[in-house]
Amino acid sequence: MSYLLQAQDHMGRQRKTVSIVASTIGQTLEMADEYLSAISNLRPRLSRHLYHVSISVSPNDRDLSNQEWADIGRAWCDEMGLQNFMIVLHDNHIHILASRIRMDGTAASDRFDYRRSETVLRGLEARFELLPTESSHLLDPRRQARHRRAQSIAELHATAKEGISHKDFIRAAIDAALIEAPDETLLRDALAKVGIGMTIDETLDGALHVLFSFRGRIFGPRALGRGYSLSHLVEKGLQIYDLQDQLSHLPTPPWNIDTSAITPPSVNKNHATAVHYLRNLGLEAEDAVARFRKWRGAAKPRDHDLYGPGQVDTDDPPI
């Protein structure tokens, strides 16, 4: 928390502006700390209730007043369901420290919070007439293949000290190797020359995934970014013959049924025609599910049906 009001940033550079522009939890760090400790008692079993985010505008955007920054921060907190917060202005961006716990003891949801937050920010750009920012892979699926996970504070320090972080080194090695070695075996050999291991494995449900190892640590798409998942590496040109052979023999999943062959009823409020159309569509889906299950069973027999509804003995959530 003390970082928010420090005169220097994480790189030791002097800040021009450090100001609390809005707060519902006090105007000092001591007051905020006491308030947050007290409100946490409303939900003692909620282990992670603090929120810390940073909001900035495009470098080419206009200068915003303290009041505008405060209004943007308040609007974001309101849309995210946060009541207890402190908004601190650092030069050209704000930090928001907030608690998910509300005054009535309920907690703001953190489900899909990155996606929801970005949707809110796109709305705030229009509301405050700011330059629009390109959406991330969360809102624009076309960017998933190019997604790289943002650097953490530890990675920023590593970059400043050593010139490059382990994750950046792995990503750069993969990108360079893909150009020269699009084949799975050649790619593995190329990465091994720089000390990176590559493993393609199969999950319990039969899906293939890729993991990379470097200096005793394992890195997957969650650490490197979605652009380094196996499916997106294949999109970039990686050739995995077993995978491509499986995909070529995979039956059409139920969610990809081509309904164009089924002529929908015209809008004439004919109930019988509509029921007949929906019934035929249901039969098509049922048949597709049966074919899909048959293919999965033949490819890898299971002791139980992975696609069945399962059974829960109690109402308690699974551990």
Side-chain angles (χ1 to χ4, degrees):
M1 187 184 297
S2 60
Y3 167 81
L4 296 180
L5 296 181
Q6 286 180 354
Q8 296 83 24
D9 63 13
H10 65 279
M11 301 294 292
R13 296 169 298 196
Q14 193 73 19
R15 294 189 177 112
K16 296 179 181 179
T17 303
V18 179
S19 175
I20 299 175
V21 294
S23 177
T24 62
I25 60 176
Q27 293 297 318
T28 66
L29 290 181
E30 293 75 15
M31 294 174 62
D33 184 56
E34 183 179 359
Y35 189 99
L36 293 174
S37 297
I39 201 171
S40 67
N41 293 327
L42 296 177
R43 294 291 296 272
R45 298 181 61 184
L46 188 62
S47 59
R48 300 177 62 180
H49 72 96
L50 292 181
Y51 236 106
H52 175 215
V53 300
S54 174
I55 299 176
S56 60
V57 297
S58 169
N60 300 321
D61 216 326
R62 62 184 176 86
D63 293 331
L64 300 179
S65 66
N66 286 16
Q67 185 61 52
E68 286 179 308
W69 278 119
D71 291 341
I72 289 173
R74 287 196 191 96
W76 183 88
C77 289
D78 183 60
E79 292 288 343
M80 297 296 289
L82 305 173
Q83 296 179 345
N84 302 292
F85 55 82
M86 174 184 284
I87 305 171
V88 182
L89 174 61
H90 288 175
D91 299 338
N92 60 351
H93 66 277
I94 56 174
H95 288 263
I96 300 177
L97 174 66
S99 173
R100 292 171 50 210
I101 302 174
R102 303 188 184 100
M103 300 303 296
D104 61 358
T106 60
S109 173
D110 60 353
R111 185 174 177 81
F112 302 120
D113 53 349
Y114 287 177
R115 186 188 302 273
R116 291 191 294 115
S117 175
E118 188 169 356
T119 301
V120 171
L121 292 175
R122 296 293 84 79
L124 292 178
E125 288 172 348
R127 174 178 167 183
F128 288 88
E129 299 181 344
L130 302 172
L131 294 178
T133 304
E134 186 179 9
S135 295
S136 74
H137 67 286
L138 295 176
L139 300 184
D140 185 358
R142 296 171 300 178
R143 300 194 64 191
Q144 290 188 3
R146 296 182 284 121
H147 174 244
R148 299 164 65 95
R149 191 173 182 87
Q151 287 187 323
S152 64
I153 294 295
E155 290 177 80
L156 291 173
H157 283 297
T159 301
K161 183 179 180 180
E162 302 178 9
I164 189 171
S165 68
H166 289 177
K167 293 180 183 178
D168 283 337
F169 176 76
I170 295 171
R171 285 188 285 247
I174 295 172
D175 293 341
L178 273 177
I179 298 175
E180 302 295 334
D183 178 82
E184 173 190 353
T185 303
L186 297 177
L187 176 62
R188 183 180 286 107
D189 293 341
L191 294 177
K193 291 180 180 179
V194 294
I196 300 174
M198 185 182 84
T199 302
I200 297 179
D201 205 352
E202 187 175 2
T203 61
L204 292 177
D205 61 357
L208 296 177
H209 67 282
V210 63
L211 294 174
F212 302 93
S213 59
F214 183 66
R215 294 188 179 179
R217 294 185 58 191
I218 302 297
F219 301 86
R222 186 176 182 86
L224 301 176
R226 293 192 182 186
Y228 296 88
S229 67
L230 186 59
S231 59
H232 287 126
L233 291 178
V234 170
E235 286 183 19
K236 295 176 182 178
L238 177 61
Q239 298 176 9
I240 303 178
Y241 301 111
D242 290 343
L243 173 63
Q244 292 166 352
D245 182 65
Q246 289 184 39
L247 293 177
S248 65
H249 293 88
L250 182 65
T252 302
W255 50 86
N256 278 344
I257 297 174
D258 181 12
T259 60
S260 59
I262 305 176
T263 304
S266 57
V267 185
N268 58 5
K269 298 182 180 181
N270 189 320
H271 178 73
T273 304
V275 169
H276 180 71
Y277 166 70
L278 293 175
R279 184 172 296 163
N280 286 341
L281 185 59
L283 292 175
E284 284 284 328
E286 184 178 353
D287 183 59
V289 168
R291 295 198 309 271
F292 192 74
R293 286 179 173 175
K294 182 178 179 181
W295 177 87
R296 290 296 299 147
K300 182 175 288 245
R302 303 289 184 181
D303 295 333
H304 60 282
D305 184 6
L306 291 177
Y307 306 94
Q311 181 178 354
V312 179
D313 296 330
T314 67
D315 291 332
D316 295 333
I319 297 177

